[in-house]
Amino acid sequence: MRVVSGLLRHVVAKDIAIESTSFAHRVTTMHSNLERFLHSKNIMLHLPLAQALLIDGRLAHDNVGSRTIATDKTGQEPVPMGCLPQDRAIRATGARTTKAPEPETQHGKSHRIDRGLTNLASTGQIRQAIRLRALSAANRFRVIRTFDVAAICFPERPYKAALTAAQRAMRSMVKDNLLIRYRTDRQQHVYGLTQKGAQWLDDQGVDASSSVRRVSDMTNPEHLLWANFIVTCCEVRGLSALTETELMKSLNRATGKDKPVTQGLLNVSISKGNGSQKRVLRPDAIAYEKPAKSDSKPTVTWFEIDRSKRGADREACLTALFRAVGRQLQDGNVLGTVVVLTKSERILKRAMSLAQELVNDPCELKFTVQGTRVLKEISTGVFEVWTEIIKKFGSDRTALEPALIGHVIIQMLPLWLPKVRIDNRRQYSTAGWFSEDYLPYQRPAGKSPWPVPTSPLL
């Protein structure tokens, strides 16, 4: 090493006046010759001289001119400042140094790590918000899945990221005995609210009760779970939504003891045999959307969850529901959209065939009875509902004109989403999450697209 240091000092003293580029080139050449010499003498070069000097050619040249010496903490031989590797150098006081360049992105700006919600709130606050929303949903719906918690707490994230965060949250709450896990007859994991979880909600100001007894008796709550999920999707999109149970409670809230209980939201007549029969219909889930005109009442979106094939009577009720678009319901609002969500393609095709039986040209309405509804298919599973309305011309003239009054939408439930596994054991699509225009239903042409969801935890 003394030989190396002497040769280095000789080179540095001789070439101080040489410019940076020429200096670096000559040092590289000298280093190559030196390596060949040392290799022939079986001497190992512990310090990569050229690499150290070429970290910054200008830095090496300037530091050589100042001849400042630094000592390595490991006790190795002293070397000129600028010849030490960047991670081992101890810069001496008074030595002129140059700051290493910061890493740049492809746009030329320094890279900043996005820490997500932790930039806006502490991890403890986020954890508290997740538990409050998840346990409140378990208290409201009485039974939930991890899949539901992903939509309730993390709708703004990509699906796999949302599912991962939901799994972590559910494991934590089960470990703390706030939720208890059950397996249904279809080998599906569901969760119920424990007494400790209800007490935790009471401490947060939420009136709650345990749902363990009810969940333990459930064998296949698939229909209930999907109806609850659709309500959650509507609320994620900014709509006010109710389950069937919540709707019936709201309809009969002001009903006195002597008054009859309201059984449904819509009265229809269906043909049966040679006569007709009346039926009272109520939705599996319902949402209220803002009307186009500010002075109008909210329009109702009616959801039907078809997980099994309908019989003749239920098919007649579905056809009557399609014809009821535009009518006023029991709560005073107008039915604007009917959404049928099916479990299988067979059920989907049957529901579409019922709608296609009502398809006709809106111009043909002038040859029908006033108030008749016809459907116009604009895309696969999306139908417009047309009828004739009275339009005034001047003060004393009126006429009937075709008008679009609503939509009928038929599509599949996103059955593939709960089957996705983070470890890729099962290759299922993640299409249909909130980043796409699919949940709670596909928006028809002419309506604004669904708003992009934001984090509900803030």
Side-chain angles (χ1 to χ4, degrees), residues 306-324:
D306 283 6
R307 55 174 294 273
S308 60
K309 185 182 179 303
R310 290 174 177 258
D313 192 71
R314 293 182 63 223
E315 285 184 352
C317 290
L318 186 60
T319 303
L321 180 61
F322 293 161
R323 288 175 172 158

Side-chain angles (χ1 to χ4, degrees), residues 244-455:
E244 180 181 352
T245 302
E246 292 171 337
L247 174 64
M248 298 311 299
K249 287 182 179 179
S250 65
L251 290 176
N252 293 284
R253 185 172 291 117
T255 303
K257 294 182 179 180
D258 299 333
K259 294 182 179 179
V261 176
T262 303
Q263 298 292 333
L265 202 59
L266 179 66
N267 296 322
V268 297
S269 296
I270 63 172
S271 299
K272 193 167 185 179
N274 296 328
S276 62
Q277 292 184 354
K278 292 185 178 181
R279 291 287 187 270
V280 180
L281 307 181
R282 53 188 180 191
D284 295 320
I286 193 171
Y288 298 93
E289 301 191 39
K290 294 181 180 179
K293 298 180 180 179
S294 59
D295 57 344
S296 302
K297 291 184 178 181
T299 58
V300 169
T301 300
W302 183 301
F303 292 93
E304 288 288 328
I305 311 295
D306 283 6
R307 55 174 294 273
S308 60
K309 185 182 179 303
R310 290 174 177 258
D313 192 71
R314 293 182 63 223
E315 285 184 352
C317 290
L318 186 60
T319 303
L321 180 61
F322 293 161
R323 288 175 172 158
V325 173
R327 284 180 50 185
Q328 191 173 18
L329 303 176
Q330 294 284 350
D331 59 356
N333 296 311
V334 176
L335 179 59
T337 306
V338 174
V339 181
V340 181
L341 300 166
T342 65
K343 183 182 177 182
S344 66
E345 291 187 5
R346 175 170 171 261
I347 302 172
L348 176 73
K349 291 178 180 179
R350 182 54 187 161
M352 289 185 62
S353 67
L354 293 176
Q356 288 168 351
E357 291 176 1
L358 304 178
V359 171
N360 200 353
D361 188 353
C363 296
E364 299 295 326
L365 285 169
K366 57 185 178 182
F367 303 112
T368 61
V369 180
Q370 182 180 353
T372 301
R373 268 76 167 166
V374 298
L375 271 59
K376 179 182 178 182
E377 188 170 7
I378 57 176
S379 62
T380 304
V382 181
F383 302 83
E384 293 179 343
V385 182
W386 290 76
T387 190
E388 284 189 322
I389 60 173
I390 299 176
K391 187 174 181 180
K392 292 184 178 180
F393 296 91
S395 57
D396 56 351
R397 295 177 56 195
T398 59
L400 292 173
E401 286 192 353
L404 174 64
I405 58 173
H407 293 85
V408 171
I409 300 171
I410 305 170
Q411 66 183 53
M412 288 279 293
L413 286 166
L415 299 170
W416 55 91
L417 288 178
K419 299 177 182 178
V420 173
R421 295 296 179 265
I422 303 302
D423 56 5
N424 291 327
R425 285 181 299 170
R426 300 180 183 177
Q427 296 294 334
Y428 288 101
S429 172
T430 59
W433 193 239
F434 293 106
S435 57
E436 303 178 20
D437 193 24
Y438 192 80
L439 291 173
Y441 64 89
Q442 296 182 26
R443 298 286 279 183
K447 284 192 174 183
S448 59
W450 290 118
V452 178
T454 57
S455 175

Side-chain angles (χ1 to χ4, degrees), residues 5 38 116 127 134 147 159 177 204 215 230 303 337 360 431:
S5 300
L38 294 176
R127 178 173 177 268
F147 172 59
Y159 179 66
N177 198 29
Q204 305 301 317
V215 177
I230 292 301
F303 292 93
T337 306
N360 200 353

Side-chain angles (χ1 to χ4, degrees), residues 218-237:
M218 292 180 178
T219 56
N220 185 27
E222 188 177 18
H223 185 274
L224 175 63
L225 290 170
W226 280 115
N228 295 342
F229 176 74
I230 292 301
V231 170
T232 298
C233 293
C234 292
E235 293 177 345
V236 166
R237 298 298 192 182

Side-chain angles (χ1 to χ4, degrees), residues 28 56 83 90 106 110 180 212 251 257 289 318 448:
T28 305
D56 189 334
C83 298
I90 302 175
Q106 60 180 348
S110 59
I180 189 169
V212 169
L251 290 176
K257 294 182 179 180
E289 301 191 39
L318 186 60
S448 59

